[in-house]
């Protein structure tokens, strides 16, 4: 979903989510800037977000 601060829109579209959803989820976990996230992915089963800030 997010790699080195860049949104992977194709991957978000595959799970029928958008960039605004990703930003809300990141803010809920304490990340307010995309540039602060090295890698973020979403589980297929429950759409929970996993974040790695490198």
């Amino acid at each position: 979903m997010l790699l080195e601060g860049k949104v992977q829109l194709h991957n978000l579209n595959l799970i029928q989510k958008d960039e605004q959803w990703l930003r809300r989820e990141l803010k809920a976990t304490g990340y307010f800037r995309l540039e602060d996230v090295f890698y973020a992915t979403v589980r297929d089963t429950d759409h929970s977000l996993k974040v790695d800030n490198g």
Side-chain angles (χ1 to χ4, degrees), residues 12-25:
L12 280 174
N13 289 334
L14 290 175
I15 63 166
Q16 300 176 351
K17 302 291 183 188
D18 59 16
E19 186 174 339
Q20 285 72 31
W21 174 85
L22 178 61
R23 287 179 181 272
R24 281 192 308 273
E25 293 295 309

Side-chain angles (χ1 to χ4, degrees), residues 30-43:
Y31 294 94
F32 297 94
R33 296 178 353 131
L34 298 179
E35 298 81 20
D36 294 336
V37 177
F38 174 71
Y39 179 76
T41 189
V42 176
R43 290 182 188 222

